[in-house]
Amino acid sequence: MLLPNKMPLSKEQLLSFVCNIIDQSNSCIAIIDQQDSNLPILYYNESFSELTGYINNELIGKNLRSLRGIKTDPEIESEIDLNIKSQLPVEINIIHYHKDGSPFWNYLYSLPIKDETNEVQFTLICCKNITDQMLDKMLSKLEREVYAELDKGGDTEVILQLIAQKIEMYYIRSVYCAIRVLDSTGELKVVATGSLPSTLIESINAYIIEPTAGFNEKAVYIDNVSHKQIELNNNIYNDISSLEVISCWTKPIVNQHHHILGSITIYLKDQASLKQSDLEFLNKLSPIITLSLKYAEQKQELERLAFYDMNTGIPNQNYFYTNLTEWIEGDFTGIILIIQPGEYSGIVDLYGRKTGDELLIQIANRLKNHQKVECNEDIIYGRFSNSSIITAKKIYDDKIDLYVSRLRQELTTSPYVLADREMFISLNIGIAHFGNGVLMEESIRQADIALTSSRKKFGTVITFFEEETNKLMQQEMDTLNQLIHGLKNNEFSAFLQPKVNLKTAEIEGFEALARWHSPVLGSVSPATFIPIAEYSGKIREIDNAILKQVLKWQQARKEKGLKLVPVSVNISPVHFYHDTFVDDFISLVHQYHISPEYIKVEVTENFELVDFEKAKNILMRLKEYGYESSIDDFGVGFSSLSYLQQLPFSEIKIDQSFISNMNNDEMFAVVQTIIQLASRLKMHAVAEGIETVDQYNLLKNIGCNTGQGYYFHKPMPINEAEKLLNNIK
Ligand code: C2E
Ligand code: MG
Ligand code: MG
């Protein structure tokens, strides 16, 4: 509206002139008397009346402060007054109230009107309801703030809290705000409130919303509940009287599938009921909350992925490391245990990976049970590798033994149910301390070392880490390094030890034994390098290198037309169970054109349940091809004769520990029984490690067919065995 700011009229003439003009304007305009220090309204047009709800002359003689309400900023009011009085232009946003008490954002600017003497007589106040724009502005500001928090990876509850606070602070109406989230039990739980404590909100809610009131995708709107407010005042909180909650409005927050995620409730303090603009505001607000909740869901899912093993649902290494690190940083001390089922790979071979996973799940469940029994949170666990679980417990040293024995009981006394059958599982467990200066990586390394040494024994074995073991491991690593070189440089040679017929003293055959002379380590005993080769997967190469040397020698003798005698080669169980063992073995012997009767297989194995059928299958195939097999070190560990009966072995080698203790009556009886049993099972009995003439005579007398030992011959290089055989001829 363009008005000349200097007009040649008296004050009265001027007023009537301006009134005339603003009556024709669509803008909302009031005329203020500049000369009166109260700045009273002299006139306002129809549009102004519509905007404020004050009709006719209701505001005449009053000033702009008549439009004030609870949320009107007094500082802005003073600024407006001051500017008008100082004849300065005003342009400002302020919350004003309609006559019905409902607020609106008023964009207000002033226009001073001067008279003929150039004195300002009136000020025109032009107003515009900009509530929608202001709310949109506030929403986009809030949205930006929420995005920024989400981007920072902020906690969802903190973000929701931020939303609730901002709404209370900036919303045009005087409100309390609460955000609820559906919890796992299907209840809406208050997670964020603005200025009120959540307990208070819960209680208001119990009174304001009927107990029967449910919620759905549509809003729940309960208006005018002031009668209930009285009950609150009297019964629940004294300070509730100051809350003056008149009505509340709940907007359910739903996801794209229309599933409820939570709700936002606005508790209104003023009398005026909700307007369309309020509803629109809350409708626009809900996507921001949905986003935050969806983000929370995604965050949870990400956490699940980051902290749990996908295949088993068991916490993973990351979970374990994160928690253990916190413990160690918090100066806690305790132990970590790496638990590995001895039968894991057998079970995976037989029943598949899923069953292997199932075994780990059941172990984890037992750990969880144990955690409950122990009634504390001081135990964490996670999947450590494909075949092992790691667990840690905060514990004082004097309690460790008891704890470990109870854990062992929990884990091993009852069978596991796998592939529809009950199985007793043996566990290898390595234990080490953490804390007290031992950091996590070191502690895990030590438990690993302890686990490795526990694997060297049969059955459930729990091994505590010791410095000694550490040194041993170091040595083993060095040996392994040299062993790898040694294999490349042909440092391994076959020695032969004669097997002697105890009745005739004739050489029936030989056993080939691996010897290793390393230029770095010197002579290394098979007792040292065989286990290392087994763990590192190098044993097949060693077995085959020895077998080749034997075959080469036999081939040479054959070509020379000399007599061949059977040679037994040792095959490690690791090699024996290898998928291609039988095929590789047979093709190698064929390459040298040696008849199967001259090569025997010696295998040392505790035929456990899981391997039994596989072992039988391998031995049967060897037998079909004409190869005989012997069971080595019989009597050590688990060697059930009833199993033996079902396996097609042709020879039993009685371990030298029995032979060397035969002067003990009991041991003598055992040896005698084994020999009798072998003969009943039509098996050849071979006594290992005969060192004395007494042992020789005893064994001969109780019907042992064959013997081997230093009493007859020590293992010797092939060329010496060659000479020995030739001399006999
Ligand atoms: P084994 O197969 O039971 O071999 C018999 C062990 O007893 C040999 O030890 C042999 O030297 C030793 N021995 C023979 N007679 C006597 C005696 O009268 N008194 C004493 N005290 N010892 C005697 P060695 O050569 O040290 O081998 C130890 C073990 O290493 C073998 O036990 C076998 O299980 C394994 N081994 C040796 N060579 C190979 C191989 O080429 N492959 C595999 N997989 N294992 C092998
Ligand atoms: Mg042997
Ligand atoms: Mg043996």
Side-chain angles (χ1 to χ4, degrees), residues 300-314:
Q300 260 175 10
E301 178 61 13
L302 279 178
E303 253 166 41
R304 208 181 61 73
L305 289 178
F307 285 120
Y308 290 86
D309 173 56
M310 299 254 276
N311 297 325
T312 55
I314 303 172

Side-chain angles (χ1 to χ4, degrees), residues 632-633 655 688:
D632 206 346
D633 301 346
D655 190 67
E688 292 189 302

Side-chain angles (χ1 to χ4, degrees), residues 427-476:
L427 297 175
N428 296 114
I429 301 180
I431 306 182
H433 284 89
F434 68 81
N436 262 341
V438 186
L439 295 181
M440 184 172 73
E441 288 76 14
E442 176 60 13
S443 167
I444 290 174
R445 190 186 74 84
Q446 294 181 355
D448 248 337
I449 289 172
L451 176 72
T452 306
S453 62
S454 90
R455 276 203 299 254
K456 291 180 183 163
K457 286 172 230 145
F458 178 69
T460 289
V461 184
I462 298 178
T463 309
F464 281 85
F465 169 79
E466 282 161 15
E467 245 339 290
E468 271 310 295
T469 335
N470 194 16
K471 276 190 210 136
L472 225 72
M473 285 291 288
Q474 215 57 54
Q475 279 169 8
E476 282 183 6

